[in-house]
Amino acid sequence: MTKQIVVLISGSGSNLQALIDAQQQDCLGGHISLVVSNKKSAYGLTRAANADIPTAVRTLKEYRDAGKSREDFDRDLAEFIASDYAPDLIVLAGWMHILSPAFIDRFRGRIINLHPALPGELDGAHAIDRAYDEFKAGSRSRTGVMVHYVIPEVDKGAPILVEEIPCKEGDSQEDLENRIHAVEHHILPKAVKLVLSGNVKSSE
């Protein structure tokens, strides 16, 4: 039976496109059955529609406006995904919303995240900006990309794939970003296929 994948995005969806391309080349190891965005304007929704992948938009603002909590949002999102799609894997591909245990506990060991930094370095938001600032300050010579399992502690889950990226003399921030994004686009589909093949396990 084909493994089912749900992808969560917040923006342009370039990493989603890498997953779609891998799926179309039969190199993903599963089928993307749903793309969820927490931003109505995310271009990734268009990418999904162009590939005939169902989409959904769920925004935290709607919950805030109704007097509900982040945990309510996460719990309802988990219920929607679990009930309607029953995914084997959930991929956070530029999902800019920190998930609470209300979501994570529903899919323990089945959520992975792409993060533009090496394990134990530059956890959280703006990792590329921070890496470049440290490089310009002379305190960093390399950064990287990892795909890791998601646990409640941000960017602390067990790594699945890691690739180091050098910071090169004369780099602009755009140069470094472009090298990081190129690595992201090939490492994420590889990690998805690896996880779905059963050849790597969550430490939980």
Side-chain angles (χ1 to χ4, degrees), residues 1-5 19 22-24 26-33 88 192-193 196:
M1 184 178 293
T2 303
K3 299 291 182 68
Q4 299 301 310
I5 304 164
L19 295 174
Q23 175 178 289
Q24 291 174 343
D26 292 325
C27 296
L28 192 58
H31 172 74
I32 303 170
S33 53
D88 296 284
V192 169
K193 186 173 184 179
L196 290 176

XYZ file of all heavy atoms in Angstrom, residues 1-5 19 22-24 26-33 88 192-193 196:
158
model
N 0.848 -1.200 0.000
C 0.000 0.000 0.000
C 0.881 1.248 0.000
O 1.883 1.309 0.719
C -0.914 0.003 1.223
C -1.889 1.178 1.246
S -3.006 1.128 2.664
C -3.963 -0.324 2.276
N 0.501 2.233 -0.793
C 1.285 3.472 -0.897
C 1.238 4.262 0.405
O 0.170 4.467 0.980
C 0.737 4.344 -2.039
O 0.767 3.603 -3.260
C 1.577 5.607 -2.203
N 2.403 4.684 0.860
C 2.498 5.484 2.078
C 1.962 6.898 1.800
O 2.241 7.491 0.754
C 3.950 5.559 2.552
C 4.568 4.208 2.884
C 3.954 3.614 4.130
C 4.596 2.278 4.502
N 5.988 2.437 4.944
N 1.204 7.431 2.770
C 0.563 8.732 2.616
C 1.341 9.808 3.372
O 1.720 9.613 4.539
C -0.876 8.674 3.103
C -1.747 7.681 2.338
C -1.818 7.996 0.850
O -2.090 9.132 0.449
N -1.550 6.990 0.019
N 1.523 10.943 2.708
C 2.306 12.054 3.251
C 1.426 13.303 3.299
O 0.728 13.622 2.337
C 3.528 12.350 2.363
C 4.393 11.101 2.190
C 4.344 13.513 2.925
C 5.377 11.208 1.027
N 9.629 18.064 -3.175
C 8.920 16.824 -2.848
C 7.999 16.400 -3.988
O 7.921 15.223 -4.342
C 8.112 17.004 -1.563
C 8.913 17.246 -0.280
C 7.973 17.558 0.874
C 9.787 16.051 0.049
N 10.068 14.973 -6.765
C 10.524 13.619 -6.426
C 9.385 12.613 -6.561
O 9.583 11.489 -7.054
C 11.082 13.599 -5.007
N 8.188 13.006 -6.159
C 7.031 12.120 -6.294
C 6.766 11.816 -7.769
O 6.503 10.663 -8.142
C 5.805 12.763 -5.661
C 4.516 11.980 -5.858
C 3.330 12.637 -5.171
O 3.231 12.632 -3.958
N 2.426 13.212 -5.957
N 6.828 12.827 -8.602
C 6.551 12.634 -10.028
C 7.598 11.764 -10.710
O 7.327 11.160 -11.744
C 6.441 14.004 -10.706
C 5.204 14.772 -10.265
C 5.141 16.188 -10.798
O 6.137 16.753 -11.240
N 3.955 16.795 -10.747
N 8.894 9.204 -9.097
C 8.831 7.962 -8.321
C 10.042 7.776 -7.420
O 10.559 6.672 -7.246
C 8.693 6.748 -9.253
C 7.345 6.722 -9.962
O 6.342 7.136 -9.342
O 7.292 6.310 -11.134
N 10.488 8.901 -6.838
C 11.673 8.871 -5.976
C 11.368 9.304 -4.544
O 12.297 9.561 -3.780
C 12.758 9.799 -6.539
S 13.402 9.307 -8.143
N 10.096 9.369 -4.176
C 9.741 9.882 -2.857
C 9.407 8.771 -1.867
O 9.541 8.958 -0.657
C 8.563 10.857 -2.968
C 8.243 11.712 -1.746
C 9.446 12.562 -1.335
C 7.045 12.622 -2.013
N 8.936 7.651 -2.372
C 8.579 6.556 -1.489
C 7.192 6.667 -0.904
O 6.811 5.893 -0.022
N 6.413 7.639 -1.388
C 5.049 7.819 -0.902
C 4.305 8.805 -1.771
O 4.818 9.298 -2.778
N 3.080 9.107 -1.348
C 2.180 9.978 -2.106
C 1.749 11.146 -1.225
O 1.291 10.940 -0.097
C 0.950 9.195 -2.564
C -0.116 10.047 -3.191
N 0.004 10.572 -4.449
C -1.316 10.482 -2.702
C -1.077 11.278 -4.729
N -1.882 11.242 -3.699
N 1.906 12.373 -1.728
C 1.461 13.557 -0.987
C -0.055 13.666 -1.130
O -0.566 13.957 -2.213
C 2.147 14.831 -1.502
C 3.669 14.708 -1.413
C 1.676 16.048 -0.695
C 4.425 15.824 -2.122
N -0.765 13.408 -0.049
C -2.224 13.391 -0.111
C -2.857 14.708 0.298
O -4.038 14.943 0.028
C -2.769 12.268 0.773
O -2.261 12.361 2.085
N 1.023 8.474 6.981
C 2.155 7.720 7.516
C 3.262 8.664 7.957
O 4.076 8.315 8.814
C 2.693 6.767 6.441
C 1.666 5.718 6.054
O 1.473 4.776 6.837
O 1.051 5.863 4.986
N 12.648 11.885 3.413
C 11.289 11.334 3.377
C 11.323 9.880 2.919
O 10.708 9.000 3.538
C 10.391 12.179 2.446
C 9.073 11.466 2.179
C 10.130 13.549 3.061
N 12.041 9.616 1.844
C 12.117 8.249 1.335
C 12.764 7.319 2.356
O 12.324 6.179 2.552
C 12.904 8.228 0.027
C 12.899 6.862 -0.650
C 13.544 6.923 -2.024
C 13.450 5.575 -2.725
N 14.058 5.629 -4.084
N 10.200 6.613 5.200
C 9.099 5.758 4.747
C 9.554 4.334 4.425
O 8.756 3.404 4.469
C 8.419 6.388 3.533
C 7.611 7.658 3.820
C 7.064 8.230 2.524
C 6.488 7.400 4.806
